[in-house]
Amino acid sequence: MNRRYRSAVILTVVPGGILFTADLVRQLDFEIEMDGISCPHTPGDRHNNSNISYQQNITVSNKDVIIVDDAIESGGTMSRLVAHIAEYFLASIAVATLFVKPHRIAIPTEQYYAYETATDELLVGYGLPWQNKFRNLPCVKRLIK
């Protein structure tokens, strides 16, 4: 991303993306502005219809926007977020996540991610929840039910 951008708006999906965003932005060499967006969902739900909450605390029109989250599981929620933000007449839009799952749906935008998991196993920690618990674990672990 440092080679691609001179400036960008970092739009964190809250609460899950907060920890990854904090570490990611410290590695960026370009100018950033930051804001948040929320769309409650159940992990793996491809048909999330919950309301998107975006206050637009800063202007995103004509700017490069990078949506940052902890993981893309099915891709349904992120697809909705990308479509919602695209309505603000952006210069460009991209997605940055820590993890992406193998069976996600296609999201029509540039994507940056640290790890593509081999399976759809549930992960917890470092912002990733299970029933809104375990976000604060200092590392990522596989959830065994």
Side-chain angles (χ1 to χ4, degrees):
M1 289 190 297
N2 285 326
R3 285 180 265 155
R4 162 74 172 85
Y5 298 99
R6 293 177 65 194
S7 67
V9 173
I10 304 299
L11 190 58
T12 303
V13 180
V14 294
I18 292 172
L19 296 176
F20 180 55
T21 298
D23 287 341
L24 176 66
V25 297
R26 286 183 231 152
Q27 302 302 314
L28 301 178
D29 297 334
F30 51 88
E31 274 187 37
I32 65 166
E33 296 177 87
M34 295 179 69
D35 206 349
I37 190 167
S38 179
C39 186
H41 70 285
T42 302
D45 182 4
R46 291 180 185 264
H47 306 290
N48 176 7
N49 292 317
S50 63
N51 291 331
I52 294 173
S53 177
Y54 177 53
Q55 302 301 316
Q56 194 176 6
N57 295 308
I58 57 174
T59 301
V60 294
S61 298
N62 299 313
K63 295 181 181 176
D64 295 316
V65 174
I66 304 168
I67 301 174
V68 181
D69 201 2
D70 53 5
I72 295 176
E73 295 185 30
S74 70
T77 299
M78 185 57 73
S79 292
R80 289 186 60 226
L81 292 172
V82 166
H84 182 82
I85 293 302
E87 294 176 3
Y88 288 87
F89 306 104
L90 312 174
S92 74
I93 188 166
V95 171
T97 57
L98 180 59
F99 294 105
V100 293
K101 298 284 182 96
H103 298 105
R104 65 195 179 278
I105 60 174
I107 301 170
T109 191
E110 190 169 11
Q111 295 179 46
Y112 302 94
Y113 55 89
Y115 303 100
E116 183 170 10
T117 61
T119 68
D120 283 330
E121 291 179 304
L122 275 164
L123 303 174
V124 295
Y126 194 68
L128 297 158
W130 171 248
Q131 297 179 341
N132 216 22
K133 298 175 189 168
F134 309 122
R135 286 185 194 277
N136 60 323
L137 295 176
C139 59
V140 176
K141 297 182 177 197
R142 181 173 49 104
L143 180 71
I144 299 173
K145 296 184 204 176

